[in-house]
Amino acid sequence: MATSRDRLGTLEAEGSSGRQGYSGVEVVLSSDPATPAPLCPHGPTLLFVKVNQGKEETRRFYACSACRDRKDCNFFLWEDEKLSGARLAAREAHNRSCQPPLSRSQCVERYLKFIELPLSQRKFCQSCQQLLLPDDEEKHHEHQVVGDVSITQLKRPSKLLYPLENKKTNAQYLFADRSCLFLVDLLSNLGFRRVLCVGTPRLHELIRLKESGDTKSNIRSLLLDIDFRYSQFYMEDSFCHYNMFNHHFFDGKAALEVCKTFLQEDKGEGVIMVTDPPFGGLVEPLAVTFKKLIAMWKEGHSQDNSQKELPIFWIFPYFFESRICQFFPSFCMLDYQVDYDNHALYKHGKGRKQSPVRIFTNIPPNKIILPIEEGYRFCPLCQRYVSLENQHCEHCNSCTSKDGRKWNHCFLCKKCVKPSWIHCSICNHCALPDHSCKGPKDGCFICGELDHKRSACPNISTSKKVNKAVRKQKQRKSNKMKMETTKGQSMNHTSATRKKKRRERTHQYLCS
């Protein structure tokens, strides 16, 4: 799974930059509810608008809610575009062809048959990512098949399935055991009895393992996830195929009722939502979806409890704090570093090498105890647990660090900033020493103009020619060096051979 600090920097820029002078694509949240959004394979689409230097362009369009890359879902429709009956029929046929091959009830039926099989007949096809019944084996005889699938393995499907790798849609960066165990223990200590796991399959697995283990836990969980492959491992009351970017249940009203019943059980008491969305996803549609889940939870409440909030753990990088708090003002960010098994950068550590992923919650932070053995301490002034290097600032009257390092107070900005930042008198705020004082680097990377992007630059062909010429020049230089090296080695070998033959002839002459 390829990832880099460049991508991390892009996410940080998206999360922390101001909206003034922004260029890109934004979601239009105030679309007319009387006009239903067209459907793509991932459910109802979202309405978007292009923004150039903070100004909206006139024409809006519909695109997939889950996929920001057209390669993954190529749906595109202008808001004012009218489609013919033939095109509508073709689209509906395409949407049906993209759905999972088995229905939810068929998956459950296959699962019940699978667990009844003897161990030697329980097989899993890694090529198709599918549990195999005896009748399926002939179709998969040339595939990579794992045999002797135990019940323990069935309880940990995230270990059997290959993680999906699309960062913008369904990136499955799975919780490391350290973070997963911490979350389960924390939820238990806080007294929760039910956990709605939205995009957190590892947490769902561990809760269910503890529920069925020797030391039985009283916590139950329901998993909502866009990865339909989990359908083959869970019953209907444990998993719903779900798109968190548009609140779409792929299996219709039956799945919606499962979620509603789970949230409203015991009049909504003792339940919490834990969500871990793809970090490349847009915050705005996620916030809208979570508010719909909150509204669903509130339906089971009496009027006396209308002011109560559904407890939430939203797991996301720290640099999205301002965006999240814009939609949920009651949320605060905990210092706990969430780390992942299959991500090169999101690991538990110190300084710049630590995971940037945090927990945003509406639970009072003084109720949440972070593990002291992992380097967290209690700040009596802030009345919360913080990382060891997060020092209390007497001027800000809080522990201000977001990334685990000690931040410095800037008296001109009247706030604490990262230790690598300095105050810029031109920009009138703190920034990196090598930052550009001209504002955000939007526009074209080739010519520098702000009215278009690189892909639409009229000089792109010239740029490609120049780059191609430079690459060719480098290649010729590299080939020349290789030839010289090979030639030198060959000459040395020839010289040594000649000397050896002369010695042999001299030896023969002397012996004769």
Side-chain angles (χ1 to χ4, degrees):
M1 185 175 300
T3 186
S4 65
R5 290 202 180 273
D6 292 339
R7 175 64 185 149
L8 192 61
T10 304
L11 286 174
E12 186 162 5
E14 288 179 9
S16 59
S17 64
R19 310 311 288 170
Q20 185 178 2
Y22 165 79
S23 293
V25 175
E26 287 189 347
V27 184
V28 181
L29 298 176
S30 56
S31 58
D32 184 7
T35 307
L39 301 177
C40 78
H42 302 94
T45 54
L46 295 178
L47 188 61
F48 294 91
V49 63
K50 288 186 177 180
V51 178
N52 189 13
Q53 291 300 296
K55 296 179 182 178
E56 288 189 6
E57 295 184 3
T58 53
R59 209 171 182 195
R60 306 190 295 189
F61 61 93
Y62 288 100
C64 180
S65 62
C67 304
R68 289 173 67 183
D69 195 330
R70 292 280 298 279
K71 293 176 183 177
D72 301 309
C73 182
N74 62 3
F75 185 96
F76 183 92
L77 179 70
W78 292 111
E79 184 186 19
D80 54 2
E81 185 179 356
K82 302 296 181 185
L83 295 182
S84 65
R87 283 189 65 187
L88 282 172
R91 177 182 292 156
E92 289 174 3
H94 173 70
N95 290 348
R96 285 194 298 271
S97 69
C98 294
Q99 296 311 305
L102 299 172
S103 68
R104 190 72 184 89
S105 57
Q106 286 175 318
C107 288
V108 170
E109 186 181 343
R110 287 174 60 88
Y111 174 74
L112 293 174
K113 289 180 180 178
F114 189 88
I115 58 177
E116 292 297 325
L117 294 172
L119 181 63
S120 59
Q121 293 185 27
R122 288 195 219 123
K123 297 178 181 179
F124 177 76
C125 179
Q126 290 183 322
S127 304
C128 302
Q129 297 285 281
Q130 182 184 334
L131 295 174
L132 301 182
L133 295 175
D135 295 341
D136 304 325
E137 290 182 24
E138 189 176 343
K139 301 174 187 175
H140 301 263
H141 72 278
E142 293 184 355
H143 297 179
Q144 285 187 314
V145 175
V146 176
D148 297 340
V149 178
S150 66
I151 297 297
T152 304
Q153 286 176 294
L154 289 176
K155 290 180 179 179
R156 300 298 304 269
S158 68
K159 303 275 189 181
L160 277 174
L161 299 169
Y162 291 134
L164 300 174
E165 297 186 354
N166 189 327
K167 299 178 185 66
K168 298 178 181 177
T169 309
N170 44 23
Q172 288 179 330
Y173 296 132
L174 302 165
F175 290 147
D177 287 342
R178 181 192 74 89
S179 293
C180 223
L181 288 167
F182 164 75
L183 284 169
V184 173
D185 290 342
L186 176 61
L187 295 171
S188 178
N189 292 336
L190 289 172
F192 292 108
R193 300 184 299 277
R194 300 188 311 286
V195 183
L196 183 67
C197 298
V198 184
T200 57
R202 274 275 168 91
L203 181 64
H204 178 62
E205 289 172 7
L206 199 58
I207 290 171
R208 287 174 60 82
L209 277 172
K210 287 215 167 191
E211 185 186 3
S212 61
D214 296 333
T215 55
K216 286 197 174 183
S217 167
N218 61 346
I219 302 180
R220 294 185 293 111
S221 65
L222 170 64
L223 175 63
L224 310 183
D225 202 281
I226 199 169
D227 187 356
F228 70 89
R229 298 176 301 172
Y230 284 104
S231 299
Q232 58 189 319
F233 295 94
Y234 297 117
M235 305 295 284
E236 290 103 326
D237 61 350
S238 300
F239 172 76
C240 296
H241 188 199
Y242 178 75
N243 181 354
M244 71 173 79
F245 290 99
N246 59 4
H247 188 55
H248 176 64
F249 289 88
F250 289 86
D251 296 305
K253 288 184 179 179
L256 176 65
E257 285 300 319
V258 168
C259 182
K260 186 183 288 188
T261 302
F262 186 84
L263 284 172
Q264 296 179 2
E265 188 180 321
D266 294 335
K267 296 183 178 179
E269 294 295 325
V271 65
I272 183 173
M273 183 179 88
V274 181
T275 181
D276 181 32
F279 302 149
L282 298 172
V283 171
E284 290 86 348
L286 288 171
V288 170
T289 289
F290 299 157
K291 286 182 178 181
K292 288 179 180 177
L293 289 170
I294 292 168
M296 188 188 295
W297 169 76
K298 281 190 173 182
E299 287 175 12
H301 268 203
S302 62
Q303 292 295 325
D304 300 336
N305 294 327
S306 59
Q307 300 301 316
K308 289 187 70 176
E309 288 187 334
L310 171 67
I312 296 175
F313 281 168
W314 182 343
I315 296 165
F316 226 47
Y318 70 82
F319 36 79
F320 282 99
E321 181 182 20
S322 61
R323 302 286 294 282
I324 291 173
C325 292
Q326 177 185 345
F327 292 95
F328 297 99
S330 63
F331 277 30
C332 65
M333 188 180 80
L334 305 179
D335 272 24
Y336 185 80
Q337 298 175 30
V338 181
D339 59 332
Y340 296 80
D341 266 349
N342 55 330
H343 198 292
L345 301 180
Y346 296 171
K347 301 288 186 184
H348 180 64
K350 294 182 179 179
R352 295 291 292 173
K353 293 184 178 180
Q354 64 168 284
S355 169
V357 185
R358 301 290 184 270
I359 300 173
F360 296 88
T361 182
N362 52 1
I363 298 174
N366 60 354
K367 293 184 177 181
I368 298 172
I369 300 172
L370 302 186
I372 296 173
E373 63 275 11
E374 291 183 15
Y376 300 98
R377 62 178 183 84
F378 184 76
C379 175
L381 298 173
C382 293
Q383 284 293 297
R384 69 183 182 99
Y385 278 83
V386 297
S387 59
L388 202 59
E389 293 185 18
N390 189 0
Q391 300 298 314
H392 191 90
C393 174
E394 59 182 11
H395 307 288
C396 299
N397 195 28
S398 88
C399 294
T400 52
S401 174
K402 308 292 183 186
D403 61 6
R405 296 178 294 169
K406 183 182 178 182
W407 284 22
N408 302 321
H409 188 83
C410 174
F411 291 94
L412 296 173
C413 292
K414 296 181 180 178
K415 65 177 183 179
C416 287
V417 297
K418 294 181 179 180
S420 55
W421 288 15
I422 59 171
H423 193 85
C424 175
S425 57
I426 299 172
C427 299
N428 199 29
H429 62 75
C430 287
L432 287 167
D434 58 350
H435 76 283
S436 171
C437 294
K438 297 175 183 177
K441 295 180 180 179
D442 286 324
C444 179
F445 290 110
I446 295 173
C447 65
E449 295 295 330
L450 297 174
D451 60 347
H452 63 267
K453 293 291 184 182
R454 176 187 178 279
S455 57
C457 182
N459 301 323
I460 191 167
S461 57
T462 307
S463 173
K464 284 182 178 178
K465 286 178 182 176
V466 171
N467 290 337
K468 193 174 181 181
V470 170
R471 283 198 300 271
K472 279 188 175 180
Q473 188 178 359
K474 286 183 177 179
Q475 187 65 40
R476 282 197 297 269
K477 188 176 180 181
S478 176
N479 291 341
K480 187 178 178 182
M481 290 176 67
K482 285 180 181 177
M483 286 177 65
E484 288 176 353
T485 305
T486 308
K487 187 177 178 182
Q489 290 174 348
S490 177
M491 287 177 67
N492 291 338
H493 176 72
T494 304
S495 177
T497 305
R498 285 174 180 170
K499 286 180 180 178
K500 184 178 179 182
K501 286 182 177 180
R502 277 202 299 270
R503 283 198 301 270
E504 287 176 353
R505 284 198 297 269
T506 303
H507 179 73
Q508 288 173 358
Y509 175 77
L510 292 172
C511 290
S512 61

